[in-house]
């Protein structure tokens, strides 16, 4: 969950998000080093009256400032490609959930069960209980077992939506007529919040996503209760 005046990312709740945070720190350090070097060169050029004639026309310097950026780009591209392939990999999911975007709410269908599905609406401000978050709480949470690979099939019924949960490192577009898929593993129990990250209409910021990760036995009890109610 994000905090007021927070400048960084949310705490990682999945292995993919941990990799994304490490890649962010790696890239940001390279940016800092480049910025420091460029600032030093600018200050040195402005503050000195001396001119080195060997610097004005030097084949060696031209080789360095051509090869060095290429090496830096490779150091950024290789871990980036690795994470992209990790995010695209879906191996033997234990549970498949279909998330369908509507104007303006989400509906979830647990396809491994015969009749387990529900709509998830934002709780109006006047109906919130103490401790609940405004514009983020829903009447039905998407409950998943922790430490289990979960596959999410994402689509939309009317316009473009986007199913995004920052703490899990997930952002998948929901396109009408197209079925996209993504996967995640929650590292620990907890409640993770997200929102539709596509400008899908005037109420697009009022269709939140709440993922609750619980131990497997709690998930089995919850699914049994939901099946009995339906």
């Amino acid at each position: 969950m994000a905090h007021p005046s927070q400048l960084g990312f949310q705490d990682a709740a999945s292995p993919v998000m941990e990799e994304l945070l490490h890649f962010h720190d790696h890239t940001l350090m390279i940016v800092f080093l480049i910025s420091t070097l460029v600032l030093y060169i600018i200050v040195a050029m402005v503050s000195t009256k001396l001119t080195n004639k060997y610097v004005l026309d030097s084949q060696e310097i031209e080789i360095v400032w051509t090869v060095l950026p290429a090496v830096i780009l490779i150091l950024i591209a290789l871990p980036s490609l690795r994470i992209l392939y990790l995010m695209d990999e879906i191996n033997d999911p234990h549970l498949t959930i279909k998330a369908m975007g509507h104007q303006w709410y989400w509906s979830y269908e647990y396809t491994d069960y015969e009749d387990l599905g529900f709509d998830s609406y934002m709780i109006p401000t006047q109906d919130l209980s103490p401790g609940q978050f405004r514009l983020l709480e829903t009447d039905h949470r998407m409950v998943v077992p922790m430490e289990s690979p979960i596959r999410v099939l994402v689509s939309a019924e009317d316009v473009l939506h986007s199913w995004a949960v920052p703490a899990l490192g997930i952002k998948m577009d929901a396109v009408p007529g197209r079925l996209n898929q993504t996967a995640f593993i929650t590292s620990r129990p907890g409640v993770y919040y997200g929102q539709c990250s596509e400008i899908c209409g005037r109420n697009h910021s009022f269709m939140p996503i709440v993922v609750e990760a619980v131990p497997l036995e709690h998930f089995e009890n919850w699914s049994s209760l939901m099946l009995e109610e339906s």
Side-chain angles (χ1 to χ4, degrees):
M1 181 65 192
H3 302 284
S5 303
Q6 179 175 332
L7 298 179
F9 290 100
Q10 298 181 25
D11 292 339
S14 70
V16 169
M17 190 59 192
E18 290 180 5
E19 294 290 335
L20 289 173
L21 290 179
H22 293 156
F23 174 71
H24 170 265
D25 296 340
H26 165 74
T27 308
L28 201 60
M29 183 58 65
I30 293 176
V31 170
F32 282 151
L33 293 175
I34 293 175
S35 302
T36 303
L37 176 62
V38 172
L39 180 62
Y40 168 76
I41 293 174
I42 292 175
V43 172
M45 293 293 291
V46 171
S47 61
T48 183
K49 296 182 179 179
L50 302 177
T51 301
N52 191 329
K53 64 179 182 179
Y54 297 108
V55 176
L56 296 179
D57 186 15
S58 174
Q59 189 72 30
E60 290 79 9
I61 288 182
E62 292 184 4
I63 293 174
V64 169
W65 70 38
T66 301
V67 173
L68 190 59
V71 173
I72 293 174
L73 289 176
I74 292 174
L75 292 177
I76 295 175
L78 290 180
S80 175
L81 289 173
R82 171 178 170 271
I83 296 175
L84 282 175
Y85 279 107
L86 284 175
M87 295 175 68
D88 213 29
E89 195 72 24
I90 300 177
N91 289 323
D92 191 23
H94 295 175
L95 182 67
T96 299
I97 304 173
K98 183 179 180 181
M100 183 72 71
H102 307 268
Q103 291 180 318
W104 283 271
Y105 64 95
W106 294 95
S107 61
Y108 299 102
E109 179 183 345
Y110 289 68
T111 58
D112 297 286
Y113 295 83
E114 184 176 351
D115 188 20
L116 179 54
F118 50 85
D119 296 331
S120 181
Y121 291 88
M122 185 190 76
I123 299 178
T125 303
Q126 62 272 16
D127 297 334
L128 289 173
S129 302
Q132 290 185 323
F133 297 104
R134 176 177 172 269
L135 303 183
L136 287 177
E137 293 290 349
T138 59
D139 55 355
H140 291 93
R141 295 173 173 176
M142 191 184 93
V143 181
V144 298
M146 57 174 287
E147 296 181 341
S148 298
I150 310 297
R151 176 173 58 182
V152 183
L153 305 176
V154 183
S155 186
E157 191 178 61
D158 33 49
V159 298
L160 290 175
H161 297 281
S162 184
W163 200 82
V165 183
L168 299 177
I170 294 178
K171 185 177 184 295
M172 180 58 66
D173 287 341
V175 183
R178 180 183 177 90
L179 197 63
N180 294 326
Q181 69 174 354
T182 184
F184 65 89
I185 301 175
T186 54
S187 305
R188 59 181 184 273
V191 180
Y192 310 108
Y193 296 90
Q195 287 178 307
C196 178
S197 298
E198 188 73 49
I199 302 177
C200 58
R202 66 183 183 91
N203 286 332
H204 86 96
S205 58
F206 298 101
M207 47 185 301
I209 302 160
V210 183
V211 178
E212 182 176 358
V214 298
L216 180 59
E217 57 271 19
H218 293 180
F219 172 78
E220 292 175 344
N221 295 335
W222 171 84
S223 60
S224 300
L225 291 174
M226 291 294 292
L227 289 172
E228 290 176 1
E229 292 179 1
S230 60

